[in-house]
Amino acid sequence: MSTEPGDEAVGHDELRLASRNHAMPLEALALDVTPVGLHFVMCHYDIPLLDTRPWRLDVVGLVEMPRSLSVDDLRALPSVTATVTMECAGNGRSLLRPRPVGQPWVDGGVGTAQWTGTPLADVLAAAGVQEGAVDVVFSGADHGTEHGSEQDYARSLSVADATSDDVLLAWAMNGAPLAPQHGAPLRLVVPGWYGMASVKWLRRIEIRDTTFTGFHQTRAYRVRESGRDVGVPVRRIRPRALLRPPGFPDYLSRIRVVEVGDHELTGRAWCGSAPVTRVEVSTDDGDTWADAEVSAAPGSAAWQAWRWRWAARRPGRAMLRARAHAADGSVQPDDPRWNVHGVVNNATQRVEVLVRA
Amino acid sequence: MSTEPGDEAVGHDELRLASRNHAMPLEALALDVTPVGLHFVMCHYDIPLLDTRPWRLDVVGLVEMPRSLSVDDLRALPSVTATVTMECAGNGRSLLRPRPVGQPWVDGGVGTAQWTGTPLADVLAAAGVQEGAVDVVFSGADHGTEHGSEQDYARSLSVADATSDDVLLAWAMNGAPLAPQHGAPLRLVVPGWYGMASVKWLRRIEIRDTTFTGFHQTRAYRVRESGRDVGVPVRRIRPRALLRPPGFPDYLSRIRVVEVGDHELTGRAWCGSAPVTRVEVSTDDGDTWADAEVSAAPGSAAWQAWRWRWAARRPGRAMLRARAHAADGSVQPDDPRWNVHGVVNNATQRVEVLVRA
């Protein structure tokens, strides 16, 4: 059995996290929209089990008219449904060496859903954001400690980012009320950004005239190259292509088996900062690459399907890879770029296949 | 940070499995019925993504009238809805030392759902099981290799077990069509048995006059004390109580924080062979135990709620445990009983809590 891409072992605490949270099984790349239960889930603390009816979202701080809105109040406003690919900032963490400790994602920390909600910009406009506002802080009902810091999970956006026209206060996912693990009854959805921005169980929006310095804004979710590096904040999703592993798997190693012959390789590719313009595929672990056919995106923040016909002529091992390029010139690296927190590792995927005669 | 109950590390292959499959987060013990996405999922191979309409269940072998039934054919027959607690036979595997390699469950490989389907006994009676029948073999659409053996996932029941009145051919879970990862469009549900018996993506039932010797019947899912021990088959779920961790967690260690004072500890307990008659709780890692109040089960194969008031007087560390006893005299052991495949480990749970002033 292969243990590519490395054997560095995972401890019990991380295993418990990996057991609570879950990836999208890669066969779900076949689906345009990822069903609840297959869409990735990442929750820092316990999942709050909340009643929708008494729930209130408070909009406070530097606003003309502070608000306390029920989910029904929000549903009565004009709504939007957007298809959004969401990815965990830590996707790929377990493939880094040395391995940063944390939720030990392999490569499936992703999913695409249809989110329905009220544009945040409308709610902020109705509340009246005052002069001097700098940050908009979003707090959830999930509570815990992390590296000695106790908090409700909270993240901020600049006023400019918060009032862009695609950010939603979402109460439905794939046409159904939110599931508890996806933030019921209300979550923020920030298309194009890694998942940490899309605060679940949202109960408070505070507009401030100072920069927010909460744990998940300034300590976690930063790309730091060393312990001394203050780093840069994680924001928009870097380009990534994933291929749906062909054939059938070995249970433990997930090495695939296919027969000699033609196989249509398919997958998805996405990028939070620009459309994906090109996907390349390799069957020899990156020695040579060929261009796949890439479809248009079903929405401005949704993944794009791609396909490529593989003529598998020789029995033996093959290592499949896929590599996405985006319109802004960004491209996936072939090797992981290490950082302290193990975030934004969008190195190209490797899928080992046994071709048999 | 505690890394109880042990540090023996998990390799990359197991991590990939742990990332695909997922446990029930223990806060979901608050719910009578576990929503899809929180209910545990364990799939050996890829999740088949199947259309319901062309799906056929073939009933073949030693029957008077072989059948090929659509899901609509089954739905037209009398149906039953049963509340069933299902648990993975490997639940607790990662807590054994030395650690058997496999899906590295901690303690959340469980869930309770309302399954709706046709009694299997009715379908077998209509087909007419012939004299000399020994085993009924159930095959799914999931295909893969395991220890060099290639197969569709398959399990058998004796004719007596298969014709008991509680086994279902289920097409709905919690009132909705089955999700892909729970066996859509059709799965077998065998109440009281560990989950390996409840074959997902069910497409074939074969009645045989010989004993079935498939991989998952005779090689996997056996309690073997050594490599030379042929072992005994895993069947009904052993007693287990789980407590809902109180307070709030630390992100990585999942150590809980509660304030000094009274706390109602709650949880669930279940056993596949008899009702749970007693649940004991310890706050000192098993030195002393007290009896909890145990509710009746909502169904003959469903978990039972329990509660106990904890007067947490002293700041400091506490180690909570719970222990279930069943009417057939079975009781949870305090320490794991090792076996080769790491199955049926129902040793009592440990939840570390920091009580603060």
Side-chain angles (χ1 to χ4, degrees), chain A residues 96-108:
Chain A
L96 295 171
R97 296 291 176 274
R99 200 177 52 69
V101 171
Q103 164 71 29
W105 293 117
V106 184
D107 50 18

Side-chain angles (χ1 to χ4, degrees), chain B residues 96-135:
Chain B
L96 295 170
R97 295 292 176 273
R99 199 178 53 70
V101 171
Q103 165 70 31
W105 293 118
V106 183
D107 51 19
V110 68
T112 295
Q114 292 176 316
W115 299 96
T116 301
T118 307
L120 172 64
D122 294 356
V123 171
L124 292 179
V129 175
Q130 295 181 334
E131 283 291 313
V134 171
D135 268 358

